[in-house]
Amino acid sequence: MIHTSLSIVGGGPAGLCAAIEASKRGVDSILFERFDQLGGQLVKQTHKFFGSQRQYAGTRGFDIASKLERELHESNQCQTKLNTTVVGMYPNHVLTVSGPEGYQKIQSEAIIVASGASERYLVFENNDLPGIYGAGAVQTLMNQYGVLPGKRVVMVGSGNIGLIVSYQLLQAGVDVACVIDAAPKIGGYLVHASKLRRRGVPIQTSRTILRAEGKSQVERVITIGLDQAWRPIPGTEETLECDLLCLAVGLSPLTQLLSMGGASMRQIQELGGVVAVEGNEGQTTLEGIYVAGDAAGIEEASSAMVEGRIAGIRAAMQLGHGLPDDNHTLQQLEEELQGLRRGPFGAKTRIGLDKLREEKHA
Amino acid sequence: MGLSNESALCYDGNCESGENMRIEEHPILTFEVKKEIPFTFDGKAVVGREGDTIASALHALGILALSNSIRQHRHRGLYCAIGNCGSCHMTVNHVANVRTCMTKLEAGMIVESQPGKGRIL
Ligand SMILES: Cc1cc2nc3c(=O)[nH]c(=O)nc-3n(C[C@H](O)[C@H](O)[C@H](O)COP(=O)(O)OP(=O)(O)OC[C@H]3O[C@@H](n4cnc5c(N)ncnc54)[C@H](O)[C@@H]3O)c2cc1C
Ligand code: FES
């Protein structure tokens, strides 16, 4: 059994920021990342980020990742274990991990789960054909490995991810046949939608995928119009030739570890799925176990970074490493979070968090 | 061994053989041409590039079908590419159920499609 003060699961923006704050306060920690690189979703974001200035708005995602990584390495208090997947959470803060050093058990005094999210799927005929990929996978292939995910794509989902990835596909030289969305309105920011429209990409709302067709990979998709009650309208089918169907239909928090550990969990649609109920002092209902970033509810990198910092500071305080003005710092960060969640795009998160708080008091 | 090895590029007649799926020009990113990494896919000699995962190397070769569904034996490709879904499981160096989207390609790897759950004994 390996012992450490703090274990952090996941090296995305939330996990990195948690590790940075804990390290600054002199807490020994180990950060586990299943991939061979730190940065989480950030490493494949080639666009300049929206969000607040303090959270690096205007900087490209992958540049934010390297900044955070440098900041973490300066402190020397945190060991990072790459290619290492945390596979279990047991009583007494024991994690089991599988990586290059084999299968190991780690006991710590506190744990921060920052495992991010997994991509949702859509139900339609032949949705398992090769060439039907999640938006994250498409980004990974083209932006990380420089491999074209296809030649001609149909994008499902006009939220920010669908719009941004469509634009990235154009940049990589892929023909974007169209973006469709079942909702009657475009989900993402208009700036992103306009960039696509200027390049002649049609965005069709109130439309969904009826089925995909192809022998051993997707060759075409059939889309269909929806009425106001989201029912398919017969006769509105349209066939689009494509070798790539990209689904950008949202993310769900990756919280299986917390469920396994016995934290109280609730299904909250506005936060993307099953999330941990909040306990005292920013913990889950398990003492000394914190959650931050998309794993705590789907939001964005900017809020993931702030949540990570909060979790890192709270864990440090619990371990007796708090700084004199940490309560003040926490308050500032909480205010910053609220700021990020203001406005129409934060509405879903606000409703979701209210529901989660009701659970806490119930 | 190079990309001229057409039979290696098109293993079941469904991909346009010889087509290069590598991005060469990009307004923001630069992709240098990296060293070739030879490996085998279902017994055929093929090549990927340094830095590839097994799945990205196969995709670049036009090989999209990685696993098979357990009951209906339908082709499955990758879906998440970050290790969440299990849709990219293959047998690598005789070990079944390797997540090929997370496993870096190494020279000489023996990569095989696996029927169903794969053989573990
Ligand atoms: C196309 C796209 C565009 C976006 N644009 C913006 C934007 O402009 N502005 C913005 O603010 N946000 C944006 N986001 C959202 C942002 O990327 C995410 O909200 C953010 O990355 C969440 O951070 P995280 O640290 O919670 O999770 P992630 O970044 O997903 O990191 C989680 C990490 O944990 C690791 N992990 C998971 N499970 C385990 C385990 N069991 N063991 C070990 N490691 C594990 C994963 O490999 C991963 O590295 C965008 C997202 C996408 C997909
Ligand atoms: S594609 Fe999902 S685990 Fe590899």
Side-chain angles (χ1 to χ4, degrees):
Chain A
M1 182 90 77
I2 297 167
H3 294 269
T4 182
S5 301
L6 172 66
S7 290
I8 298 163
V9 184
L16 283 171
C17 285
I20 289 169
E21 295 301 332
S23 300
K24 267 193 213 160
R25 288 163 178 76
V27 176
D28 290 321
S29 62
I30 308 181
L31 183 150
F32 301 96
E33 168 55 54
R34 65 180 172 192
F35 199 55
D36 66 351
Q37 193 183 351
L38 294 172
Q41 298 297 315
L42 290 178
V43 296
K44 49 198 170 195
Q45 310 299 341
T46 47
H47 62 289
K48 292 187 178 146
F49 266 50
F50 41 83
S52 78
Q53 207 57 54
R54 278 201 63 188
Q55 303 309 327
Y56 312 100
T59 310
R60 296 191 194 278
F62 53 81
D63 290 329
I64 304 177
S66 21
K67 268 189 195 164
L68 294 177
E69 200 178 335
R70 242 176 291 135
E71 209 181 318
L72 179 62
H73 288 315
E74 277 161 19
S75 74
N76 265 336
Q77 288 280 349
C78 177
Q79 270 187 64
T80 49
K81 301 242 183 242
L82 299 178
N83 297 308
T84 307
T85 307
V86 179
V87 291
M89 185 187 280
Y90 293 86
N92 303 320
H93 300 167
V94 173
L95 294 177
T96 52
V97 307
S98 160
E101 293 161 61
Y103 181 75
Q104 294 174 308
K105 296 181 210 157
I106 289 94
Q107 184 173 45
S108 28
E109 288 159 67
I111 298 173
I112 297 173
V113 176
S115 45
S118 70
E119 271 183 293
R120 294 236 196 93
Y121 220 80
L122 264 192
V123 179
F124 55 89
E125 197 179 325
N126 290 330
N127 68 355
D128 60 345
L129 278 175
I132 303 181
Y133 299 158
V138 162
Q139 277 196 308
T140 306
L141 274 178
M142 65 180 174
N143 296 347
Q144 258 177 295
Y145 300 110
V147 172
L148 283 175
K151 298 273 178 194
R152 185 172 151 89
V153 60
V154 171
M155 174 68 69
V156 184
S158 70
N160 278 324
I161 296 189
L163 298 177
I164 291 169
V165 174
S166 295
Y167 193 71
Q168 292 179 354
L169 281 156
L170 285 175
Q171 287 180 316
V174 178
D175 179 15
V176 183
C178 76
V179 178
I180 64 168
D181 200 308
K185 267 178 37 194
I186 292 176
Y189 294 160
L190 276 176
V191 269
H192 296 309
S194 315
K195 272 168 113 180
L196 287 175
R197 288 220 170 104
R198 279 199 294 276
R199 299 273 299 253
V201 175
I203 303 178
Q204 302 180 322
T205 50
S206 293
R207 226 176 157 78
T208 192
I209 294 283
L210 185 62
R211 69 175 175 276
E213 290 179 352
K215 208 168 123 261
S216 61
Q217 66 185 66
V218 61
E219 291 166 26
R220 74 197 73 81
V221 298
I222 289 83
T223 68
I224 190 163
L226 298 173
D227 66 15
Q228 283 170 337
W230 298 52
R231 282 175 309 223
I233 309 170
T236 58
E237 293 87 348
E238 202 181 315
T239 302
L240 295 163
E241 303 290 322
C242 63
D243 61 351
L244 173 65
L245 176 61
C246 181
L247 304 183
V249 291
L251 301 162
S252 295
L254 264 185
T255 50
Q256 293 91 334
L257 279 175
L258 290 165
S259 304
M260 180 179 177
S264 272
M265 309 297 291
R266 290 290 177 280
Q267 164 81 32
I268 302 216
Q269 203 199 330
E270 288 81 0
L271 298 178
V274 177
V275 290
V277 175
E278 214 181 291
N280 298 323
E281 320 268 325
Q283 301 169 90
T284 60
T285 52
L286 302 173
E287 223 185 293
I289 298 188
Y290 303 79
V291 58
D294 279 352
I298 304 302
E299 282 185 78
E300 347 185 286
S302 30
S303 30
M305 288 186 259
V306 182
E307 285 180 8
R309 291 194 191 275
I310 293 175
I313 296 173
R314 286 204 181 274
M317 287 166 82
Q318 177 209 327
L319 298 171
H321 285 263
L323 298 174
D325 56 351
D326 267 353
N327 279 321
H328 177 66
T329 311
L330 280 177
Q331 201 187 334
Q332 277 181 329
L333 288 169
E334 292 288 356
E335 280 165 19
E336 204 173 319
L337 259 187
Q338 280 169 22
L340 290 170
R341 290 168 182 159
R342 228 168 268 143
F345 283 94
K348 236 168 110 183
T349 308
R350 293 197 303 270
I351 298 170
L353 289 173
D354 283 345
K355 286 192 185 169
L356 196 61
R357 276 183 207 119
E358 280 164 29
E359 293 288 342
K360 182 180 170 185
H361 299 299
Chain B
M1 194 183 310
L3 286 172
S4 57
N5 189 346
E6 287 210 359
S7 65
L9 290 171
C10 195
Y11 82 110
D12 66 2
N14 284 305
C15 56
E16 292 162 55
S17 65
E19 197 158 42
N20 188 4
M21 297 296 276
R22 301 269 171 194
I23 301 172
E24 279 153 9
E25 275 175 48
H26 196 283
I28 296 168
L29 301 169
T30 41
F31 297 106
E32 330 133 37
V33 179
K34 301 218 182 94
K35 213 178 94 190
E36 292 191 346
I37 309 275
F39 67 105
T40 67
F41 167 69
D42 282 349
K44 297 181 201 90
V46 287
V47 288
R49 296 276 176 186
E50 201 171 61
D52 266 337
T53 57
I54 298 169
S56 73
L58 291 175
H59 201 289
L61 294 167
I63 298 164
L64 270 57
L66 306 178
S67 66
N68 296 288
S69 69
I70 291 168
R71 283 193 216 112
Q72 310 277 337
H73 310 292
R74 289 165 66 90
H75 287 308
R76 291 275 161 86
L78 57 87
Y79 183 68
C80 72
I82 53 170
N84 286 336
C85 72
S87 190
C88 64
H89 280 184
M90 298 180 85
T91 297
V92 178
N93 293 340
H94 311 297
V95 176
N97 300 317
V98 171
R99 287 180 298 188
T100 54
C101 71
M102 299 285 289
T103 309
K104 278 268 133 90
L105 183 68
E106 288 169 19
M109 268 181 168
I110 303 163
V111 178
E112 293 165 297
S113 328
Q114 73 178 34
K117 298 176 184 172
R119 283 173 48 153
I120 58 164
L121 290 176

